[in-house]
Amino acid sequence: MSTSIDGFVTDREGGFDWAAPDDELFRFHHDEVATLGAYLLGRRLYETMLVWENDPTVRETDDGAEFADIWTALPKVVFSRTLDAVQGNARLARGSVAAEVTRALEATDRAVSIGGAELAGQAIELGLVDELRVYRCPVIAGGGTPHLPAVAQVQRFELVETRRFAQVVYERYRQAPAD
């Protein structure tokens, strides 16, 4: 997920326009999503990403059209307490986070991504996250939705990859082996 320097995925008003990717970073996101077998996401992220399924203007460029095709085809599981239905290749989660992660992993031999701060936080707390992928943006939000949750005990990760884009630093962390 994209985060500010001070660790927020949205600012105090819920905005995240400071996280909009440039062309190079968009292509990197595109390549990452293309490797996935499923995506578990919260309602707000699901609603944000609906543009890729419903807005024909996103298909005005080759990269946009290709990403829209990949996103539309990707199986998605939406966690929501307020939605009654979802669109396209998505379904509403009916089980617990642990059960839905297990179900998604059993349905594919590819990686499964979890997006949305609250949902990802629950998965982290349950020990279900093997890797964290962070896109650190050069802005201090000063408050908003925290990128990572408070956890009951320390969880150790090791930095396994970094990449610098024009205005964003990508960091990939893998869960550290137990001592």
Side-chain angles (χ1 to χ4, degrees):
M1 295 190 316
S2 295
T3 184
S4 62
I5 294 170
D6 56 342
F8 295 96
V9 297
T10 65
D11 61 27
R12 285 175 276 229
E13 287 78 42
F16 54 92
D17 58 335
W18 41 266
D22 63 14
D23 290 343
E24 181 188 17
L25 184 56
F26 178 76
R27 187 71 193 164
F28 185 78
H29 283 302
H30 169 283
D31 293 345
E32 291 281 301
V33 172
T35 68
L36 299 175
Y39 206 108
L40 284 66
L41 60 167
R43 178 194 53 82
R44 285 185 293 268
L45 182 56
Y46 166 73
E47 290 174 340
T48 298
M49 295 301 289
L50 273 176
V51 66
W52 294 103
E53 300 194 36
N54 298 333
D55 184 351
T57 65
V58 300
R59 295 180 170 277
E60 292 176 351
T61 66
D62 290 342
D63 282 345
E66 192 175 346
F67 183 80
D69 288 343
I70 291 167
W71 183 257
T72 301
L74 183 64
K76 293 169 279 295
V77 180
V78 181
F79 289 77
S80 174
R81 291 179 286 276
T82 58
L83 293 177
D84 294 324
V86 291
Q87 302 173 30
N89 198 14
R91 67 174 179 79
L92 282 171
R94 297 292 178 215
S96 66
V97 173
E100 293 291 355
V101 167
T102 299
R103 182 175 173 186
L105 289 169
E106 288 173 349
T108 185
D109 59 351
R110 301 171 93 181
V112 172
S113 188
I114 301 173
E118 184 178 333
L119 178 61
Q122 291 174 36
I124 290 167
E125 185 65 35
L126 291 168
L128 300 173
V129 175
D130 298 334
E131 286 190 1
L132 294 171
R133 296 178 184 207
V134 179
Y135 299 86
R136 195 162 309 278
C137 301
V139 63
I140 295 174
T145 303
H147 175 232
L148 296 172
V151 294
Q153 58 186 347
V154 172
Q155 295 185 29
R156 299 205 182 277
F157 287 79
E158 55 190 5
L159 180 63
V160 294
E161 181 182 0
T162 60
R163 181 170 172 181
R164 184 172 187 262
F165 293 90
Q167 289 295 315
V168 172
V169 175
Y170 167 73
E171 304 161 0
R172 184 168 63 97
Y173 298 88
R174 183 174 298 133
Q175 193 172 50
D179 292 335

